[in-house]
Amino acid sequence: MRDGRIEEILGLPPPDNVLSQGQQPPTPTINSVGEALLPPYQVYTVARHIVTLPLLRVLTSSEDPLKLRRFLTSSRWFDLLHMDASDNTGSLKEMVETVGQNGGPAAENCSALEGVLPAEMLRIKQQMSNQCFEMAVQLNAGKGKRSCSTSEAERELPNFVSELERAKGVHFNSTLVLHRLQMWHAIGEKMKQAGPDAAVLKTVSDRCMALCSQIKQLQIENRNLQNEITEIQKQRLEIKRLTHEKMKEMEGLMSSKEHPEKYNAVLEKGLSNLEKYKKMTIVTQNVLRGILLACKVNWLDDPTLRETVMTLEEFPISE
Amino acid sequence: MSLLNPFNKRPGLNTATVLLVENEEQFQQSLANVLVEETAVTVNVRLAKTLPIPMKNDESRPRIDLVVFIINLTLDKSVKSAKASLKYLDPGYFLGKVCFMVTNARQALGCTGRLDAVRQLAVSLHCPLLFAEDQTPEGVTSSARRLLTILKVASGLVPNTTALYLSNLTRCAMPPDIDQPSFD
């Protein structure tokens, strides 16, 4: 018996009365892989590998539940996805062949699976497909090798990870949409049957629709308000920026007023220039006045001369 | 003497196997006791002092999904033995099936060189680095819980997640050097 053989290697006696998984008490032993060969550390004595064929295939093909259970306990591991790898298919094929020849284990093994529900089986099937996927990835990793340095790989890694996450997001959303569609289709079908539940279903679905449209309205409102808030924040930032610039200008001016050192030299030069030209003008005006007085020129009659003489009055005589 | 290979055996049904490698052989015992109490999944725990492990019972040994190196930071020998054991692992393990667990980090605060060395090792191998507290039962329980999360993913029991994907999320990163000038 295959199962007995495995347990002998492990050093545990084959059980006479196998309880279901949930009821078996743990028999812990520690395996310290060193000098001593102790039996492995396990919770359940279900050390025999209970591996299964693809559950879908089994579920569709065998109607008899007892046969199903026998199948599940005796059949060997088989890949759900095709595995083209040469290292595994050889041994797998011969194992699949021995399944048919295997007369089935003793009846005691069937009781081990009494607690298995369909949900449990689906969960295990999902696990198996995940494990197969991992193995398939590992096998395909060797193919299509291209040489690149580790730094290049490091640089590309975040891109790949983000792409993966994006794909996961899309997949999740699509699955969600699919479930929703399926559910509504099922509800629609049920309502068409016009049974006693139909009226209840109709009221519930009407309420759902009303709530959904309300939600949509609120979401639109929310979005508009958010946009307005964003606009106002933008304006605020703009004003803040302008204020900041004006403050800087003011500070520049204040500092230049308090520290006019740079302008002092220029200012003095300008003032001295002004003084010089002022003196020149006064001297010229005095000379003109003297000439007019000395020659007894009649300046009242000539309009241009009169204007010139009027401007002489601007600067006082002695300066 | 062959390397431990992650994919040369068939996985068990609803089973996860972890190998705890520790030179001192103290923490692995208590950790193993807690790990085995998990009910949703059948957890097999194998203990080892160093790698390579002898080939005598290779037939009966199930496929090892996660290799955990337990390093005691107060002992130099621990770090050295862990480094030496790394050579005996198939490179396929380093895609998310190796984990470093470090104990006594608080006592080793004085000599940060060892912690930095271990961190550097974890960063270069792209493996997660867990800090564990092994003196109290709560510490053991919490580190076992963390390990169990990684173990479940590494054995492929979590749908839509593989060990390689998780390794991208749990990789250890070197903290930036404090002496370096910060960006202003």
Side-chain angles (χ1 to χ4, degrees):
Chain A
M1 223 22 246
R2 176 179 63 84
D3 294 327
R5 186 170 60 87
I6 289 177
E7 282 170 357
E8 269 165 38
I9 290 175
L10 298 169
L12 298 162
D16 310 318
N17 200 3
V18 179
L19 308 168
S20 65
Q21 275 191 358
Q23 293 163 1
Q24 274 180 345
T27 54
T29 45
I30 302 149
N31 176 27
S32 174
V33 185
E35 270 68 71
L37 262 182
L38 298 172
Y41 195 126
Q42 279 172 342
V43 178
Y44 304 118
T45 53
V46 186
R48 48 189 177 270
H49 282 234
I50 300 185
V51 290
T52 65
L53 271 176
L55 289 167
L56 296 172
R57 209 186 278 184
V58 168
L59 287 170
T60 49
S61 60
S62 64
E63 302 99 276
D64 181 18
L66 192 63
K67 194 171 154 198
L68 168 67
R69 280 193 209 121
R70 274 209 210 113
F71 222 45
L72 285 174
T73 49
S74 68
S75 50
R76 302 297 208 97
W77 180 272
F78 186 79
D79 196 6
L80 282 173
L81 322 165
H82 337 285
M83 243 170 36
D84 296 330
S86 50
D87 30 321
N88 278 323
T89 37
S91 51
L92 285 174
K93 278 189 189 135
E94 54 184 59
M95 271 162 214
V96 171
E97 276 150 25
T98 55
V99 165
Q101 287 141 27
N102 197 344
E108 61 205 39
N109 292 332
C110 296
S111 55
L113 281 179
E114 263 169 22
V116 176
L117 307 161
E120 184 76 17
M121 288 204 282
L122 282 170
R123 188 172 70 91
I124 292 178
K125 174 225 164 205
Q126 226 178 359
Q127 283 175 2
M128 276 165 52
S129 66
N130 199 14
Q131 282 166 341
C132 289
F133 170 70
E134 217 177 321
M135 289 194 270
V137 162
Q138 190 75 8
L139 290 163
N140 290 328
K143 303 172 192 164
K145 262 198 189 120
R146 51 181 191 137
S147 57
C148 66
S149 60
T150 29
S151 57
E152 213 180 288
E154 293 267 322
R155 259 180 284 136
E156 286 180 18
L157 188 64
N159 297 338
F160 290 140
V161 170
S162 51
E163 209 180 300
L164 194 67
E165 281 175 18
R166 223 178 302 136
K168 278 198 171 201
V170 166
H171 172 261
F172 181 75
N173 289 337
S174 326
T175 320
L176 209 62
V177 168
L178 183 68
H179 287 328
R180 236 180 272 157
L181 285 171
Q182 284 174 337
M183 198 192 71
W184 278 110
H185 178 76
I187 289 178
E189 291 288 304
K190 186 89 178 147
M191 291 215 303
K192 276 188 214 158
Q193 288 168 10
D197 306 327
V200 179
L201 267 176
K202 192 155 191 324
T203 48
V204 171
S205 64
D206 283 339
R207 184 136 193 278
C208 276
M209 297 299 272
L211 285 172
C212 282
S213 32
Q214 208 181 2
I215 287 173
K216 210 171 85 165
Q217 281 301 110
L218 289 170
Q219 276 181 341
I220 291 173
E221 254 188 73
N222 191 19
R223 202 172 349 122
N224 291 338
L225 287 172
Q226 281 286 96
N227 286 344
E228 279 179 35
I229 288 174
T230 321
E231 285 300 307
I232 291 175
Q233 275 181 338
K234 271 195 221 165
Q235 284 174 4
R236 205 179 116 218
L237 268 173
E238 189 62 34
I239 289 177
K240 218 170 164 178
R241 191 182 64 86
L242 285 171
T243 323
H244 203 63
E245 272 176 30
K246 293 292 175 225
M247 287 298 288
K248 266 205 211 147
E249 271 183 43
M250 267 177 56
E251 270 177 37
L253 286 173
M254 295 288 279
S255 63
S256 65
K257 213 161 98 174
E258 287 161 21
H259 308 282
E261 286 110 6
K262 327 183 229 181
Y263 301 114
N264 274 353
V266 179
L267 206 62
E268 276 176 22
K269 199 163 159 214
L271 280 173
S272 60
N273 268 353
L274 186 65
E275 287 294 327
K276 196 172 80 180
Y277 286 117
K278 223 166 148 184
K279 286 195 182 117
M280 276 168 59
T281 341
I282 290 171
V283 165
T284 330
Q285 280 179 350
N286 285 343
V287 166
L288 187 60
R289 237 184 260 135
I291 292 176
L292 285 174
L293 280 173
C295 302
K296 296 188 172 74
V297 176
N298 191 4
W299 47 270
L300 283 166
D301 298 331
D302 197 2
T304 50
L305 206 52
R306 208 158 104 198
E307 277 170 40
T308 322
V309 171
M310 290 304 167
T311 60
L312 288 178
E313 312 267 321
E314 283 171 21
F315 286 117
I317 296 175
S318 65
E319 188 53 74
Chain B
M1 189 57 58
S2 66
L3 311 169
L4 256 189
N5 201 302
F7 287 112
N8 62 353
K9 291 194 197 163
R10 283 181 294 285
L13 200 59
N14 205 28
T15 310
T17 312
V18 62
L19 173 68
L20 302 176
V21 180
E22 189 188 1
N23 199 21
E24 291 75 42
E25 293 180 318
Q26 293 168 349
F27 186 36
Q28 52 183 200
Q29 194 62 56
S30 39
L31 195 59
N33 286 332
V34 179
L35 278 173
V36 158
E37 284 164 18
E38 169 70 21
T39 49
V41 170
T42 312
V43 180
N44 295 340
V45 183
R46 300 296 178 117
L47 309 176
K49 190 169 148 102
T50 56
L51 295 173
I53 45 181
M55 299 307 294
K56 282 178 278 189
N57 53 350
D58 191 43
E59 295 303 311
S60 59
R61 194 189 306 134
R63 158 179 119 149
I64 295 191
D65 297 311
L66 184 66
V67 180
V68 184
F69 289 96
I70 302 181
I71 298 178
N72 190 338
L73 275 184
T74 49
L75 303 170
D76 214 13
K77 192 162 180 285
S78 194
V79 182
K80 286 204 174 68
S81 115
K83 271 198 194 150
S85 307
L86 283 172
K87 290 195 273 285
Y88 296 99
L89 274 184
D90 184 81
Y93 267 108
F94 292 101
L95 295 172
K97 297 194 181 233
V98 170
C99 178
F100 287 96
M101 189 170 261
V102 161
T103 57
N104 289 325
R106 258 185 237 143
Q107 278 89 34
L109 270 179
C111 43
T112 49
R114 233 171 272 150
L115 177 58
D116 281 340
V118 174
R119 230 198 206 124
Q120 193 67 47
L121 189 64
V123 166
S124 61
L125 295 171
H126 303 297
C127 300
L129 179 66
L130 300 177
F131 289 86
E133 205 259 280
D134 57 342
Q135 306 298 328
T136 63
E138 292 90 19
V140 175
T141 321
S142 63
S143 44
R145 219 178 313 135
R146 264 182 278 157
L147 204 57
L148 213 56
T149 323
I150 300 183
L151 176 61
K152 279 189 194 159
V153 173
S155 23
L157 300 176
V158 176
N160 287 332
T161 315
T162 56
L164 187 55
Y165 184 65
L166 188 68
S167 73
N168 276 320
L169 305 175
T170 55
R171 9 175 3 172
C172 186
M174 277 306 279
D177 208 356
I178 302 176
D179 299 331
Q180 272 178 6
S182 61
F183 290 93
D184 269 316

